[in-house]
Amino acid sequence: MKCPQCVYSNPDEVKFCLSCGEKFLKNNGSEDENSFFYEFAHYVDLVPNVERSIEPKFQNIFSRVFRKHSELEAERLFIVGTALTTPKISEVKETWPKPWLFARVFIIALLIFAGFYIGVTYFGNWNFIPGVIIVGAFAVPFSTLMFFWEMNAPQNIAFYRVIYYVLTGGILSMLAAIVFFDILKNNINAITIGIVEELAKAIMVIAFVRYRKYKYILNGLLIGAAVGAGFAAFETAGYALRSLLSGDGANLYNTIMIRGIFAPGGHVAWAALTGAAFCRVQGDHPFHLRMLFHIKFLRVFILVVAIHALWDSPIKGMFPYGHIFLMIASWIVVFLLIRAGLKEIGERKINGLRIPHID
């Protein structure tokens, strides 16, 4: 069957034409038109099912990054997560999504940063300095966050909520960390730094998950990544400003570059792991303090604290080789929890549960 509007060659593999957005009814009109989510539920299923896999094969996960995508595809990504566009559990795919928008966001951020860099370096205009710091600090953490957002298969968290968690969670977790550091000011070391900063982020993640009733592992990954991205970006901006005020302009760019390279395996991934572990424990149950002492949460949180402590330790060779190893280790656990989250979706589909509508 071809699209009557633009003669798209293979629309029977999707619920709408990728070129013009024309809606199709397959199986002689047997699709459920009563669902308002009809046109939006399968935005991650725009490629044939044969290309999707339950296994975390990297060549499959990132197979759509270098493909051409229409503006319509991007728009459909941003409308999910509201009370009207959150899918039923039966409409959610438990196979691995194919994220691609995060790469576009990263490229755009790099181009914007290059513009500010040219303004400062070649034109000597210091009005571009705030842009260098802000864009440089947010570029990689935010791009990494976009990856987690695209991997959130339940599609039940609106994008404006994600931004709220980045800004609010980032600043409140930093303030909480400062309070803890002030209490432990006579005993600051790599271990206490790891405990304090991960605890501060965990408090914010749990607060968001608890009160918004996000109960899926993939929800926890996304909200944790949002808080971690805010924390990482604000911290990087602070270090960059301190470098500038010290009178070392070159160090400003070195700070932004180095922290940007390692950002995906730092605060973003660590907070995401904490959020996923807590959601895995909480599930459909109301919050209780004993959940914080559940082995499934504790083992992930302790792992995150240990990785953070090693990251900040003065061990010889830790930078950069140790950091690279810790980044890889962090993302191995991330992908294991993504896989667990997708399996959770499959189990909930069997149980016939419905994804809560979140505004």
Side-chain angles (χ1 to χ4, degrees):
M1 187 171 74
K2 295 182 181 294
C3 174
Q5 299 296 323
C6 63
V7 198
Y8 180 68
S9 61
N10 201 17
D12 58 322
E13 291 178 343
V14 294
K15 289 196 172 185
F16 51 87
C17 176
L18 299 183
S19 299
C20 67
E22 178 71 13
K23 181 170 66 177
F24 286 91
L25 290 178
K26 298 187 288 186
N27 302 325
N28 298 321
S30 61
E31 293 287 353
D32 180 14
E33 289 186 280
N34 295 322
S35 172
F36 187 88
F37 191 72
Y38 176 80
E39 296 189 50
F40 315 113
H42 296 283
Y43 82 91
V44 295
D45 199 25
L46 299 179
V47 293
N49 287 333
V50 295
E51 294 186 15
R52 307 190 70 196
S53 172
I54 199 66
E55 296 299 325
K57 297 178 181 179
F58 292 97
Q59 65 270 27
N60 291 333
I61 297 173
F62 300 106
S63 62
R64 299 187 67 212
V65 170
F66 299 104
R67 295 186 181 183
K68 183 178 180 180
H69 297 277
S70 67
E71 186 176 344
L72 175 62
E73 289 182 76
E75 290 175 352
R76 289 181 184 276
L77 289 173
F78 286 101
I79 62 177
V80 300
T82 68
L84 295 178
T85 58
T86 296
K88 298 177 182 178
I89 188 64
S90 61
E91 297 173 313
V92 177
K93 295 291 185 181
E94 68 270 24
T95 48
W96 287 75
K98 310 278 187 189
W100 59 272
L101 188 61
F102 74 98
R104 275 37 172 203
V105 171
F106 177 65
I107 293 173
I108 292 172
L110 284 183
L111 293 175
I112 295 173
F113 180 80
F116 284 117
Y117 177 82
I118 292 172
V120 174
T121 306
Y122 292 95
F123 294 98
N125 192 327
W126 278 52
N127 289 337
F128 289 88
I129 286 291
V132 168
I133 295 176
I134 295 173
V135 176
F138 274 90
V140 178
F142 190 76
S143 300
T144 307
L145 171 62
M146 290 297 295
F147 172 83
F148 283 101
W149 183 61
E150 291 185 85
M151 294 299 288
N152 182 44
Q155 307 166 48
N156 61 332
I157 305 178
F159 188 71
Y160 78 91
R161 273 283 163 191
V162 175
I163 300 301
Y164 170 80
Y165 295 140
V166 170
L167 300 177
T168 306
I171 184 59
L172 291 181
S173 59
M174 289 192 72
L175 289 173
I178 290 298
V179 172
F180 293 149
F181 278 132
D182 188 61
I183 295 174
L184 300 173
K185 57 186 175 183
N186 295 324
N187 190 25
I188 303 297
N189 53 55
I191 296 177
T192 55
I193 290 174
I195 294 174
V196 164
E197 294 191 354
E198 296 311 318
L199 179 61
K201 288 180 291 183
I203 290 173
M204 293 311 307
V205 172
I206 292 172
F208 291 145
V209 170
R210 174 189 178 187
Y211 291 113
R212 296 297 302 179
K213 302 185 186 303
Y214 297 121
K215 58 184 179 180
Y216 299 95
I217 294 174
L218 295 175
N219 292 166
L221 275 169
L222 174 56
I223 296 174
V227 174
F231 192 101
F234 292 145
E235 188 177 56
T236 296
Y239 283 126
L241 180 60
R242 290 171 63 178
S243 298
L244 180 64
L245 295 178
S246 68
D248 189 352
N251 195 34
L252 165 67
Y253 297 111
N254 289 336
T255 298
I256 292 175
M257 182 182 69
I258 293 174
R259 289 185 62 86
I261 291 174
F262 292 102
H267 291 297
V268 183
W270 300 336
L273 292 175
T274 300
F278 179 77
C279 284
R280 193 175 194 178
V281 171
Q282 180 173 253
D284 297 317
H285 306 290
F287 174 79
H288 195 281
L289 285 176
R290 65 172 176 269
M291 294 178 178
L292 302 180
F293 300 96
H294 194 287
I295 185 61
K296 289 185 178 180
F297 173 76
L298 276 181
R299 66 188 180 190
V300 174
F301 183 72
I302 292 174
L303 174 65
V304 166
V305 170
I307 291 175
H308 194 155
L310 286 172
W311 190 283
D312 291 333
S313 67
I315 298 176
K316 185 177 180 181
M318 181 55 64
F319 178 82
Y321 304 109
H323 288 178
I324 294 174
F325 173 80
L326 293 174
M327 283 182 64
I328 295 173
S330 298
W331 274 91
I332 288 175
V333 183
V334 165
F335 279 106
L336 288 174
L337 283 174
I338 291 176
R339 182 177 182 178
L342 293 172
K343 287 185 176 180
E344 178 188 45
I345 296 299
E347 293 172 357
R348 289 180 179 274
K349 288 176 69 174
I350 294 175
N351 294 331
L353 297 179
R354 182 182 177 85
I355 292 179
H357 287 188
I358 306 299
D359 57 21

